[in-house]
């Protein structure tokens, strides 16, 4: 067993099983044993189970609220929002089996027919993070299950009980034994457990949501075994505010993107590139929103808490670094225990940690650009490429800018924190590769099989072997 201590106190909030490599291998073997039956289950039946799970989540959501508040300090509204999105993910995934159709087409060569089909890949290893604990654990398993795969869900060490709630809800909805297997491990054993799961011969796919640093290690391990991965990694959400933008709307959406859930979202707005002519007016509006979200006492923030008190120390270091390089602190910058106050830094420039490093906290930097062309250059000046928002009253101009921004997801006049289960979700550059969401998930979690057949089988035409030889 291992213990998880909560961020708002030093009390033990969860005790969970500390799996080792042998336990991980048993979980993968159980998933492999269940694969033949589950992959052959009627698509309608798989979809019905996922829809029942969605209904159960809604019925049980207050359980998740209570658990996540203790484990990771999440605000109640954030977990309810998590459940809402998880329910939408399950309902969308329940429709995927109907899209796994076989397509017959004529071949390029005479006398050939081609059949292209999508088949379940096998056992999927799903590794979920703590920050959007219900949503991202659900996303990690929903599409793989819908496509007929069996799954091993490896929980985060920071929220094992919350992730167990997700797994238990799916199992209670009717998943047969072995279809979804749940593994928890102590922090010191994470590398051992993940390596054992990736190496297991039955595991055919890996999906991981988390930091770029850990994602690289998992991708390297998977590459040694030729296991395809879906990697949803770190972000550095960028908002571009052009001179003709609605500044009230832009400031409101920026506050949502930067501070929601204490900024602990891969899509969080961390850089705001503003045309200099409107930067003072925009920043004034953003500061007003930030000040309105300040916590009045430890544990009483409308934005929830950081995952640990240590996270506040790291964020303080990012603020101090920016100030030492010439940035101006215009809101926040202080903390109350595991709660960091909404923080706005103006005049952020290259060379500062906040400019380049994922903060993963309620800190946003305002970067001033001389014009739209420089704003585009600054938007692309990052190793990450998950999400960019452009604010302009000329939506065609904003859309044209997004065509040249290096990002997996682009928004117009909207917070960077937005996801719809129907849309493919994922990034480029150091934000990863592969896509959750929509029909793209079918490609991620199935194998493509091609079958060819003669248009007219000679065995059925009455030809003799000599005639067939002559035809050749």
């Amino acid at each position: 067993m291992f213990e998880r201590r909560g961020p708002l106190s030093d009390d033990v909030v969860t005790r969970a099983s500390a799996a080792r490599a042998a336990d991980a291998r048993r979980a993968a073997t159980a998933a492999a044993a269940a694969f033949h039956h589950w992959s052959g289950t009627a698509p309608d039946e798989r979809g019905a189970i996922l829809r029942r799970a969605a209904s159960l989540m809604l019925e049980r959501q207050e359980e998740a609220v209570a658990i996540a508040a203790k484990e990771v300090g999440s605000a109640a509204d954030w977990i309810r929002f998590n459940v809402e999105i998880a329910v939408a993910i399950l309902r969308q995934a329940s429709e995927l089996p109907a899209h796994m159709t076989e397509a017959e087409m004529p071949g390029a060569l005479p006398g050939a027919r081609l059949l292209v089909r999508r088949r379940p890949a096998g056992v999927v290893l799903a590794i979920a993070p703590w920050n959007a604990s219900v949503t991202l654990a659900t996303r990690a398993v929903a599409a793989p299950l819908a496509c007929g795969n069996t799954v091993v869900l490896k929980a985060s060490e920071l929220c094992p009980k919350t992730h167990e709630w997700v797994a238990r809800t799916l199992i209670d909805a009717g998943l047969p034994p072995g279809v979804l297997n749940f593994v928890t491990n102590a922090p010191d054993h994470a590398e051992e457990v993940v390596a054992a799961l990736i190496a297991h011969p039955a595991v055919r796919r890996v999906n991981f949501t988390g930091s770029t640093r850990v994602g690289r290690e998992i991708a390297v391990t998977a590459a040694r075994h030729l296991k395809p991965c879906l990697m949803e990694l770190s972000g550095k959400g960028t908002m571009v505010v052009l001179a003709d933008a609605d500044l009230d709307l832009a400031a409101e959406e920026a506050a949502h993107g930067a501070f929601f859930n204490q900024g602990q979202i891969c899509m969080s707005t961390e850089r705001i590139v503003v045309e200099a002519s409107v930067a003072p007016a925009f920043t004034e509006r953003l500061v007003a929103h930030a000040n309105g979200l300040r916590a009045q006492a430890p544990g009483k923030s409308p934005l929830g808490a950081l995952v640990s008190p240590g996270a506040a120390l790291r964020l303080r270091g990012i603020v101090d670094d920016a100030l030492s390089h010439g940035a101006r602190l215009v809101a926040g910058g202080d903390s109350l225990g595991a709660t960091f106050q909404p923080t706005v830094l103006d005049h952020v420039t290259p060379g500062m940690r906040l400019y380049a490093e994922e903060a993963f906290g309620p800190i946003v930097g305002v970067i001033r650009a001389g014009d739209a062309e420089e704003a585009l250059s600054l938007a692309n000046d990052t190793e990450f490429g998950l999400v960019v928002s452009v604010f302009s009253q000329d939506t065609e101009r904003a859309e044209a800018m997004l065509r040249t921004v290096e990002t997996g997801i682009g928004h117009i006049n909207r917070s960077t924190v937005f996801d719809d289960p129907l849309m493919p979700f994922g990034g480029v550059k150091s934000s990863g590769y592969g896509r959750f969401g929509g029909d793209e998930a079918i490609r991620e979690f199935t194998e493509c099989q091609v079958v060819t057949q003669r248009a007219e089988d000679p065995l059925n035409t009455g030809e003799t072997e000599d005639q067939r030889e002559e035809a050749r």
Side-chain angles (χ1 to χ4, degrees):
M1 300 290 287
F2 74 98
E3 297 177 342
R4 164 63 178 157
R5 294 180 180 272
L8 299 175
S9 71
D10 198 38
D11 296 338
V12 175
V13 295
T14 303
R15 290 183 174 85
S17 297
R20 302 297 295 267
D23 304 301
R25 285 190 287 268
R26 280 193 290 271
T29 298
F35 174 71
H36 178 73
H37 173 74
W38 179 245
S39 62
T41 301
D44 287 348
E45 184 176 343
R46 297 203 299 268
I49 291 172
L50 295 180
R51 287 189 293 274
R52 283 199 296 273
S55 297
L56 279 178
M57 278 194 174
L58 287 175
E59 293 174 13
R60 301 175 176 181
Q61 69 172 341
E62 293 309 312
E63 297 174 2
V65 168
I67 295 167
K70 293 179 180 179
E71 283 195 320
V72 290
S74 297
D77 285 348
W78 169 246
I79 293 302
R80 292 188 187 105
F81 176 72
N82 259 236
V83 172
E84 177 185 333
I85 298 300
V87 166
I89 288 170
L90 288 168
R91 289 173 176 165
Q92 185 272 332
S94 74
E95 304 296 327
L96 290 180
H99 297 182
M100 291 175 59
T101 56
E102 296 184 350
E104 186 175 332
M105 60 191 71
L109 301 177
R113 288 189 301 170
L114 304 179
L115 181 68
V116 181
R117 63 165 63 105
R118 284 280 169 181
R119 305 193 308 177
V123 177
V124 174
L125 168 59
I127 306 175
W130 56 267
N131 59 311
S133 50
V134 174
T135 296
L136 297 182
T138 302
R139 188 182 70 175
V141 303
L145 290 170
C147 291
N149 303 286
T150 52
V151 176
V152 178
L153 173 61
K154 197 206 85 66
S156 167
E157 300 90 336
L158 300 181
C159 62
K161 190 70 175 176
T162 311
H163 283 171
E164 181 192 38
W165 180 87
V166 172
R168 174 54 56 194
T169 301
L170 281 155
I171 291 168
D172 288 350
L175 287 178
V179 172
L180 176 59
N181 302 268
F182 182 67
V183 174
T184 60
N185 57 265
D188 291 346
H189 303 148
E191 184 176 353
E192 169 191 334
V193 167
V194 171
L197 286 167
I198 293 174
H200 195 287
V203 171
R204 302 297 174 84
R205 292 287 190 278
V206 178
N207 76 69
F208 170 78
T209 301
S211 70
T212 297
R213 178 186 63 80
V214 176
R216 282 195 178 101
E217 297 174 2
I218 291 173
V220 168
T221 302
R224 292 194 185 102
H225 298 279
L226 298 179
K227 305 289 178 74
C229 296
L230 191 169
M231 290 283 164
E232 205 266 275
L233 307 178
S234 301
K236 188 71 178 173
T238 299
M239 176 184 289
V240 177
V241 181
L242 300 179
D244 68 338
D246 179 335
L247 298 185
D248 290 324
L249 174 64
E252 181 180 358
E253 294 293 291
H256 172 268
F259 307 135
F260 196 28
N261 193 38
Q262 283 276 295
Q264 299 171 126
I265 307 171
C266 61
M267 299 174 280
S268 290
T269 305
E270 297 199 3
R271 305 192 314 156
I272 305 177
V273 180
V274 190
E275 284 199 67
S277 61
V278 296
F282 168 81
T283 303
E284 181 182 358
R285 288 165 169 80
L286 177 58
V287 167
H289 283 287
N291 289 336
L293 293 169
R294 287 181 61 87
Q296 301 306 312
K300 300 297 183 182
S301 170
L303 305 172
L306 294 169
V307 70
S308 69
L313 295 176
R314 183 180 63 81
L315 294 175
R316 183 68 241 177
I318 291 174
V319 171
D320 290 343
D321 171 81
L323 295 176
S324 71
H325 287 85
R328 289 179 50 210
L329 180 66
V330 291
D334 51 325
S335 59
L336 290 170
T339 299
F340 206 86
Q341 302 286 19
T343 299
V344 181
L345 288 149
D346 196 3
H347 297 283
V348 170
T349 58
M352 300 178 186
R353 289 175 61 190
L354 181 57
Y355 182 89
E357 180 181 325
E358 183 182 38
F360 220 65
I363 302 176
V364 66
V366 176
I367 304 164
R368 300 188 178 210
D371 55 23
E373 185 175 349
E374 185 183 7
L376 173 61
S377 177
L378 289 167
N380 279 328
D381 187 27
T382 171
E383 70 170 297
F384 302 108
L386 181 59
V387 59
V388 171
S389 291
V390 178
F391 281 74
S392 171
Q393 296 190 60
D394 184 343
T395 55
E396 290 186 4
R397 183 187 185 204
E399 188 172 350
M401 178 174 280
L402 284 174
R403 290 194 187 99
T404 56
V405 175
E406 298 163 347
T407 184
I409 302 165
H411 301 303
I412 297 173
N413 296 329
R414 182 191 290 280
S415 167
T416 59
V417 179
F418 177 78
D419 185 19
D420 186 312
L422 288 174
M423 81 182 196
F425 188 96
V428 298
K429 300 195 289 188
S430 291
S431 290
Y433 48 81
R435 295 294 183 270
F436 288 105
D439 286 353
E440 288 294 314
I442 295 175
R443 296 182 180 87
E444 298 290 346
F445 300 117
T446 60
E447 298 283 7
C448 177
Q449 184 185 58
V450 177
V451 177
T452 70
Q453 180 183 356
R454 291 177 185 269
E456 293 183 1
D457 190 335
L459 294 177
N460 296 328
T461 62
E463 289 183 301
T464 66
E465 182 60 33
D466 290 341
Q467 288 172 321
R468 290 197 294 273
E469 187 61 33
E470 184 178 348
R472 296 191 187 99

